[in-house]
Amino acid sequence: MCSDAAGQGDALVREQYQHTIDYFMKIAAAAQSKGFDPRRFPQADNSGNITAVDLIDTIERISAKRDEGIAAIFQAFQECRNNVAPYQRIVDVGSYFLFGGMQQVIPEGARQIDAGRLLAGTPFGGPNALVPQTREYIMARLGIGGSAADFIRNPLQVTPQGPIRAPWVPTLMPGVPIGGLNIPPLGQLPQLPPLPQLPSAPPPIEIGSVGGHRVCIPWC
């Protein structure tokens, strides 16, 4: 029971957080393509005042909370396995990071962005999660590299000794031959086609309401 609860909680946290990271990366890239600074994206609050939302910082905060959730689920698993706490503790920890933890790191302004209008006419695909090559392409466009990029793209891996950040192995990277194919460098990449139909994403997380309308992450 401890293993099943931990495995399910870990998988849900990874999937939902990565889906949300990809969503905000797509929003940041779309904002940049329309001439906005993704670190100072203007957004109206509930009072009508314009505030600057740092979309890159939001992505980094979500990534950090994802890793915090992975580590917390592993700790709850150890406590369950050692009969220190019941398996329900694992379920409670996972639920927190899927709901309250997510709300904690996403600024109010970032929850109210009109994604449909912002993404209209951009080459970043439909509402599905991004494939790794596209994620790399968008991070390069946004100027996210080095340890910051590794932190976003590479969640903690769980080993018997505990969570670690294993070395990231690039796949489908531009300019790197893979299986006899050579993907062109970033400057030569054509406009991205729409993404193929992918399996349904996890259900949205409702984080509040504005003007009687539900606000969800990634969307309602």
Side-chain angles (χ1 to χ4, degrees):
M1 292 178 71
C2 298
S3 297
D4 289 347
Q8 183 178 28
D10 182 276
L12 286 171
V13 164
R14 291 175 189 273
E15 185 174 15
Q16 185 63 66
Y17 273 74
Q18 192 60 62
H19 190 70
T20 307
I21 288 166
D22 285 345
Y23 169 75
F24 277 106
M25 285 185 62
K26 192 185 299 185
I27 291 293
Q32 185 188 68
S33 72
K34 295 181 185 299
F36 295 101
D37 180 356
R39 286 200 174 274
R40 294 186 56 81
F41 182 73
Q43 182 65 26
D45 61 20
N46 289 331
S47 302
N49 299 315
I50 302 298
T51 59
V53 176
D54 188 336
L55 295 171
I56 308 300
D57 180 69
T58 298
I59 293 166
E60 292 173 343
R61 286 173 178 268
I62 297 170
S63 301
K65 185 60 70 172
R66 171 202 62 197
D67 287 354
E68 184 183 334
I70 291 169
I73 289 171
F74 180 78
Q75 180 179 348
F77 163 72
Q78 286 186 309
E79 293 173 353
C80 178
R81 185 183 58 186
N82 295 330
N83 297 316
V84 176
Y87 84 95
Q88 183 62 40
R89 168 67 178 160
I90 303 173
V91 176
D92 293 343
V93 169
S95 296
Y96 165 74
F97 280 95
L98 285 170
F99 296 95
M102 184 81 77
Q103 294 182 49
Q104 203 176 60
V105 294
I106 299 177
E108 188 71 30
R111 304 175 193 175
Q112 301 177 27
I113 293 173
D114 190 338
R117 291 181 60 186
L118 190 58
L119 291 169
T122 59
F124 304 113
N128 295 310
L130 304 175
V131 296
Q133 182 184 349
T134 308
R135 189 180 303 129
E136 295 301 316
Y137 176 65
I138 288 179
M139 281 200 290
R141 283 188 60 122
L142 295 172
I144 303 173
S147 59
D150 187 61
F151 183 70
I152 292 168
R153 70 162 73 96
N154 187 23
L156 294 175
Q157 304 301 314
V158 176
T159 71
Q161 290 73 39
I164 62 168
R165 196 178 308 281
W168 184 73
V169 179
T171 59
L172 294 179
M173 284 291 290
V176 178
I178 298 177
L181 300 175
N182 188 52
I183 301 172
L186 288 176
Q188 303 172 29
L189 283 174
Q191 192 175 61
L192 299 175
L195 294 176
Q197 185 64 42
L198 297 177
S200 299
I205 298 173
E206 186 170 346
I207 56 178
S209 62
V210 177
H213 298 285
R214 293 189 305 152
V215 177
C216 303
I217 295 297
W219 49 74
C220 293

